[in-house]
Amino acid sequence: MNKDLLKMEDLSKDEILDILNLGDQLKYELKHNITHHHLKGKTLGMIFEKSSTRTRVSFEVGMYQLGGYPLFLSSNDLQIGRGEPIQDTARVLSRYLNGIMIRTFSQNEVASLAECSNIPIINGLTDDEHPCQVLADLMTIREKKNILDGLKVAYIGDGNNMAQSLIIGCLTVGMNISLAIPDDYMVTDYYINKGNEIAKNNDLTFKIVNNPREAVLDADVVITDVWASMGKEKEVNERMMAFKGYQVNSELMTLAKNDAIVLHCLPAHREEEITEEILEKHSDTIFEEAENRLHVQKAILVRLMK
Ligand code: CP
Ligand code: NVA
């Protein structure tokens, strides 16, 4: 396994399945009060340059449950917020900590942090990727459907961090994926090319279309995310217009398989990307998905830091 988890591409199929298996085991052990102090005496720094509920709390609690110690580091309080270069921050923090989880804007910043640190760096969301979330999504899909191979995933909405990590994550584990994204909010060419390459080598279907009805047809899993991600708040009005036909609602869901599940990484904006009705109908799965962040991230921490 690589030193870091910066993007989905850092993990092979076997490594993803190993993380999911360990996530399942840690979930079982937690529910049966079996302690698992795999990271006794280890410390994880958690740098946040954007807001968070799930990522912050699940990493913090997860580290505690593994017998380690988490430190919440807001970029407002760190010297990074006053211009100290990430390269210097990395070299200093490497001498105190055993690992760093970072949520920030630029993927390059996370890559620089990893390059200058000799401890594992975990991407807790950038503008480009959200690998921890996609691993929790894969864990949830496997839990609900028992398999991953051959399933069809449909993603409806913005070509954002979730869309990009889902393309790589779903195809790598052997699922087909169709995305409905408006042209002006497309994923980058890098992810289109990479997706095509993985699909071709593994005989899978990877499609990006404009029409949500086409993407969702016969899907086993339907996924959406907010129309204006963190950092895009100023574009909210124009995005509301552009994404109008991209809502996951009961009418769209009639085209998916009867037993299709719905995932949403949360936070959700009801009546925008998803209706209240569909969110509540699938709330058991969606909140299980949120819970699985805890279990799958503990597995990531163990594999990278033990
Ligand atoms: N899904 C997710 O990453 O949630 P937070 O922004 O609350 O961490
Ligand atoms: N795409 C969203 C995900 C939030 C967890 C964002 O980047 O804000």
Side-chain angles (χ1 to χ4, degrees):
M1 200 141 140
N2 286 351
K3 171 177 90 65
D4 312 294
L5 174 56
L6 308 182
K7 39 191 175 30
M8 278 313 299
E9 206 188 314
D10 290 342
L11 297 172
S12 66
K13 178 173 183 171
D14 285 349
E15 286 167 343
I16 293 176
L17 295 178
D18 169 61
I19 287 171
L20 302 190
N21 292 342
L22 181 57
D24 286 347
Q25 185 190 328
L26 294 170
K27 184 171 184 173
Y28 174 88
E29 289 176 1
L30 187 69
K31 307 249 175 223
H32 292 81
N33 294 318
I34 301 167
T35 48
H36 38 231
H37 286 171
H38 298 293
L39 298 182
K40 197 162 188 301
K42 306 248 174 169
T43 50
L44 177 77
M46 310 191 305
I47 303 175
F48 282 91
E49 299 194 41
K50 288 177 174 173
S51 308
S52 172
T53 298
R54 280 143 287 268
T55 306
R56 178 186 172 175
V57 178
S58 55
F59 265 106
E60 196 159 332
V61 169
M63 200 56 197
Y64 172 76
Q65 291 173 354
L66 290 169
Y69 183 75
L71 289 89
F72 174 73
L73 305 166
S74 158
S75 63
N76 294 331
D77 304 329
L78 292 173
Q79 297 284 12
I80 306 184
R82 295 179 56 249
E84 181 168 19
I86 196 80
Q87 292 81 351
D88 292 356
T89 307
R91 284 182 286 182
V92 172
L93 293 181
S94 289
R95 290 167 185 255
Y96 302 142
L97 300 166
N98 303 108
I100 294 176
M101 192 282 302
I102 178 166
R103 165 169 288 198
T104 188
F105 295 84
S106 149
Q107 184 74 27
N108 287 341
E109 187 180 336
V110 178
S112 303
L113 184 65
E115 225 168 84
C116 302
S117 313
N118 51 22
I119 54 174
I121 306 298
I122 300 169
N123 176 353
L125 181 147
T126 60
D127 290 344
D128 287 9
E129 290 231 15
H130 198 359
C132 295
Q133 180 68 53
V134 167
L135 288 166
D137 290 9
L138 297 177
M139 178 171 170
T140 311
I141 296 168
R142 198 173 70 161
E143 214 170 73
K144 300 290 172 193
K145 296 280 177 199
N146 292 316
I147 52 155
L148 293 172
D149 272 313
L151 293 181
K152 176 181 173 178
V153 172
Y155 173 88
I156 313 295
D158 188 17
N160 60 15
N161 41 18
M162 278 303 297
Q164 298 193 149
S165 289
L166 279 166
I167 291 173
I168 308 300
C170 292
L171 291 169
T172 301
V173 297
M175 291 194 288
N176 304 293
I177 181 165
S178 293
L179 302 95
I181 302 174
D183 284 336
D184 289 344
Y185 297 92
M186 197 44 70
V187 294
T188 65
D189 286 347
Y190 178 83
Y191 288 91
I192 297 177
N193 294 336
K194 196 77 209 168
N196 281 328
E197 182 190 314
I198 307 173
K200 188 166 165 236
N201 291 341
N202 297 282
D203 212 8
L204 296 167
T205 305
F206 166 49
K207 270 201 229 164
I208 304 190
V209 296
N210 294 130
N211 186 348
R213 300 175 70 85
E214 195 181 332
V216 99
L217 197 65
D218 291 328
D220 299 282
V221 184
V222 178
I223 308 182
T224 187
D225 186 16
V226 290
W227 290 341
S229 285
M230 290 181 276
K232 304 284 183 205
E233 290 81 2
K234 281 197 191 121
E235 299 173 16
V236 164
N237 290 341
E238 62 194 86
R239 282 172 172 267
M240 291 306 131
M241 300 293 286
F243 287 105
K244 245 184 177 165
Y246 289 77
Q247 185 185 66
V248 174
N249 53 34
S250 54
E251 201 261 334
L252 189 67
M253 286 304 296
T254 58
L255 300 166
K257 289 210 179 118
N258 282 338
D259 61 352
I261 61 168
V262 173
L263 297 180
H264 192 309
C265 64
L266 304 175
H269 288 193
R270 288 167 166 79
E271 308 309 328
E272 290 180 15
E273 76 276 2
I274 189 166
T275 57
E276 167 103 30
E277 182 194 355
I278 293 296
L279 185 98
E280 290 305 334
K281 185 170 170 197
H282 294 272
S283 57
D284 283 352
T285 310
I286 290 170
F287 289 96
E288 195 74 33
E289 175 191 9
E291 179 186 321
N292 285 339
R293 291 291 302 278
L294 172 69
H295 310 300
V296 95
Q297 285 163 195
K298 284 166 72 181
I300 297 167
L301 290 168
V302 170
R303 285 298 178 247
L304 292 181
M305 287 171 63
K306 195 171 173 182

